[in-house]
Amino acid sequence: MSRPVPVLSLRPVPLPAPHRGDDLHVRVSAPVTGGDLPVIVFSHGFGESLDGYAPLADHWAAHGFVVVQPTHLDSRRLGLTPDDPRQPEIWRLRVGDLQLVLDRLDVLEAAVPGLAGRLDHGRVAVAGHSWGAQSASMLLGARVLDAGGVPGEDLTDPRVKAGVLLALPGTGGADLTPFAAEHFPFMNPDFTGMTTPALVVAGDKDQSALTVRGPEWFTDAYALSPAPKSLLTLHGAEHSLGGISGYAVTETTDENPERVALIQRLTTAYLRGALHPGDPAWQAASAGPLGRITSK
């Protein structure tokens, strides 16, 4: 892996978004040197914001990617009330946030001092954690099934060439707990059309209160989607995967800096290989005692 370089990060950069009721605020992080930089659009988990996931965003930017992090409407810092009329459609508005970022990459590029003309708009990936992984997966070809099992709108975005899906929830229906089925009807994905290349990252100790199944629920996207896909199974990892959501966060129950470092290294290698065909980084990657890689 190349040596890290200094990073410039600018936040918040507002993007007008009348359809969602509030401007979309994003953070843009980029290496201070280099050109033809690939882009990663990152979707945070429930309640987080553009300030989260620094262990990933900082690492990716220091190794040659421009990382764009929007703050979705479910963020705790926005404080939407339960009776807000946008609540039932927040899952769809999240996907819209990612689409808006893709639509306005030129605006974001111009907003960051020294970044203009350095992005490679043809090499774009999406990534996300938990609910954010579901949001990102929609741009890769996943769809939401309605109550009758009929797939909803196809939101696949051809601008996105690859994805990294961290702790992505699995299938719905009978696999959900009664609470999840009642409160999260959109958590009913169909992965059979998720054709864009992706790396699925799952912890083998991630026991969710949303499903009646075990940690293998978080591997459904790999098992049920067509190739090419890769699965990184992390030994001993729970939902925070060792602490990817921040350097010092209280919700991390399985803090493990070595595991986070492994995720940093392997996701970087995967994205390099996916966005730059011929790059040997992913082919040379290995997980060792902390994890296992499976590919199809």
Side-chain angles (χ1 to χ4, degrees):
M1 183 173 292
S2 62
R3 296 176 63 86
V5 301
V7 170
L8 172 67
S9 186
L10 183 67
R11 46 86 56 200
V13 181
L15 293 176
H19 66 283
R20 72 197 294 274
D22 290 276
D23 287 349
L24 178 64
H25 285 187
V26 306
R27 174 192 287 267
V28 182
S29 302
V32 297
T33 60
D36 295 325
L37 302 172
V39 179
I40 303 171
V41 184
F42 186 86
S43 181
H44 63 72
F46 174 76
E48 297 286 347
S49 73
L50 56 76
D51 289 321
Y53 300 92
L56 294 180
D58 290 353
H59 183 87
W60 290 335
H63 288 84
F65 295 88
V66 174
V67 184
V68 184
Q69 298 173 264
T71 293
H72 298 303
L73 287 172
D74 57 276
S75 175
R76 285 185 290 270
R77 77 174 38 172
L78 297 182
L80 260 66
T81 60
D83 60 351
D84 189 290
R86 293 170 289 183
Q87 288 284 4
E89 288 297 312
I90 278 188
W91 74 269
R92 179 62 180 85
L93 290 168
R94 276 176 147 265
V95 181
D97 292 344
L98 305 181
Q99 293 169 323
L100 181 61
V101 168
L102 296 176
D103 292 341
R104 298 290 183 266
L105 278 181
D106 55 340
V107 175
L108 298 174
E109 186 176 5
V112 179
L115 189 58
R118 297 173 55 210
L119 267 63
D120 185 341
H121 292 247
R123 301 185 193 273
V124 176
V126 292
H129 175 240
S130 192
W131 194 3
Q134 185 190 26
S135 301
S137 74
M138 303 294 287
L139 299 188
L140 304 177
R143 298 168 75 172
V144 173
L145 301 174
D146 66 16
V150 177
E153 182 182 2
D154 182 0
L155 299 171
T156 306
D157 196 312
R159 294 172 292 185
V160 177
K161 308 306 181 185
V164 171
L165 305 172
L166 302 135
L168 169 63
T171 53
D175 289 342
L176 298 180
T177 61
F179 174 86
E182 178 182 355
H183 292 90
F184 309 116
F186 58 84
M187 196 173 288
N188 193 19
D190 174 18
F191 297 117
T192 59
M194 197 174 79
T195 57
T196 306
L199 170 65
V200 177
V201 182
D204 68 2
K205 300 298 181 185
D206 190 353
Q207 182 61 64
S208 175
L210 299 177
T211 181
V212 296
R213 292 168 54 198
E216 78 280 356
W217 187 57
F218 291 96
T219 68
D220 283 354
Y222 173 77
L224 301 175
S225 65
K229 297 293 183 298
S230 292
L231 171 67
L232 170 59
T233 303
L234 297 167
H235 303 320
E238 298 177 12
H239 199 60
S240 293
L241 304 177
I244 61 169
S245 58
Y247 292 116
V249 288
T250 57
E251 63 264 30
T252 300
T253 58
D254 63 335
E255 184 177 5
N256 188 310
E258 293 79 12
R259 186 179 297 130
V260 173
L262 178 70
I263 295 170
Q264 291 171 330
R265 179 173 64 84
L266 292 182
T267 55
T268 300
Y270 177 81
L271 289 167
R272 280 184 172 163
L275 297 177
H276 295 276
D279 188 299
W282 179 243
Q283 285 73 20
S286 61
L290 291 178
R292 179 181 72 255
I293 297 173
T294 310
S295 295
K296 63 179 181 179

